[in-house]
Amino acid sequence: MSEFAARDCDVLAVVADPPERNAQVIRDLGLEFPILSDVDLMAADAYDLRHEGAGPEGSDIARPASFLVDRDGVVRWRDVTENYRLRPHPDVVLARLDEIRR
Amino acid sequence: MTHNNKWSPWIGFLLGLAAVVSYFTVVTRVVAPAYPWFRDVPVVNLALLAAGLWLSFAGARRSLARPARPAAKAATVILGTLNAVLAGLFVFYLVSFSARMPPSIDAPQIGAHAPGFTLPDAAGRPVSLDSLRGRDVLLVFYRGHW
């Protein structure tokens, strides 16, 4: 996380849980980045990440994905995972960040 | 202990069959909606599968070590193989199932504009992605419900 801060890159998590739940997670895990609450999956829909019926009681959730957005609001790297058990290693993102900064 | 009797290969196979059939009839329909993680890692079914495989293996080893009719020996080997194949297919299905995702063809590609949104942070304050224009941002979507 400090690697991102050192590169002056913000990290923003989007989760379909209410703010109170996200606050709890931040406290429990000692997270240093903000979590935004996307309960209506509005952002997930904007990024076409809705995964219908995959949540508890058949609810819709967002499939995991990461996007590196540069200063002009353009996507420079993305990982729309095929397997939710595999998340991109931070080093991959950091390397890409360094690339676009050159 | 039943592991060393002549019915072991049959019981082993039936356990494996029960594990797989119950997964598709009970787990995916009844258990999964309440406990999605169990659909992805059905510990009970996997335990039954393992027990069945062990019985098959133990039974086959016993059968092959003793004098017996060729038909009986063949049966234990066939049952054991069937069980192993069934187990392998089931595990392969489980592993690949967790990878099944919607196509997300409209997710922004590299070079595309990142769609804006405004959502509340953990303190309830609205945060807009566009307000971060001028800064590099790593946007991470999580499944939630953790």
Side-chain angles (χ1 to χ4, degrees), chain A residues 15-48:
Chain A
V15 180
D17 283 334
E20 306 77 44
R21 183 80 191 100
N22 294 331
Q24 184 71 50
V25 170
I26 287 175
R27 277 196 299 271
D28 291 348
L29 301 180
L31 300 179
E32 292 168 342
F33 51 85
I35 302 182
L36 301 188
S37 172
D38 192 26
V39 281
D40 296 322
L41 293 176
M42 191 246 308
D45 282 337
Y47 284 73
D48 198 19

Side-chain angles (χ1 to χ4, degrees), chain A residues 4 8-15 17 19 21 23 25-26 35-38 42-43 46-51 56-57 61-76 78 81-85 87 93 101, chain B residues 32-34 36 39-41 94-95 98-125 127 129 132-146:
Chain A
F4 286 95
D8 212 24
C9 177
D10 293 334
V11 177
L12 210 56
V14 179
V15 180
D17 283 334
R21 183 80 191 100
V25 170
I26 287 175
I35 302 182
L36 301 188
S37 172
D38 192 26
M42 191 246 308
Y47 284 73
D48 198 19
L49 299 173
R50 184 183 285 257
H51 191 172
E57 274 120 38
I61 55 174
R63 66 179 287 186
S66 305
F67 299 87
L68 183 61
V69 181
D70 71 11
R71 297 163 185 185
D72 301 315
V74 174
V75 175
R76 302 298 295 274
R78 54 170 255 167
T81 186
E82 287 305 314
N83 187 330
Y84 68 79
R85 294 212 184 103
R87 299 313 306 269
V93 188
R101 287 269 181 84
Chain B
R39 178 198 63 210
D40 299 329
V41 188
L94 280 185
V95 170
S98 74
R100 246 169 253 165
M101 295 277 176
S104 294
I105 55 175
D106 289 328
Q109 299 289 345
I110 292 177
H113 169 69
F117 52 78
T118 302
L119 295 173
D121 66 10
R125 291 178 301 237
V127 174
L129 181 64
L132 293 169
R133 188 63 61 88
R135 296 190 54 76
D136 294 312
V137 181
L138 176 64
L139 200 55
V140 187
F141 287 84
Y142 286 97
R143 275 160 64 90
H145 304 284
W146 37 22

Side-chain angles (χ1 to χ4, degrees), chain B residues 41-83:
Chain B
V41 188
V43 285
V44 172
N45 304 75
L46 290 171
L48 276 179
L49 204 62
L53 281 173
W54 180 65
L55 276 180
S56 288
F57 177 70
R61 212 167 54 146
R62 174 194 181 276
S63 164
L64 292 173
R66 288 161 169 251
R69 291 172 314 162
K73 293 197 178 200
T76 56
V77 172
I78 288 172
L79 280 175
T81 308
L82 274 179
N83 209 10

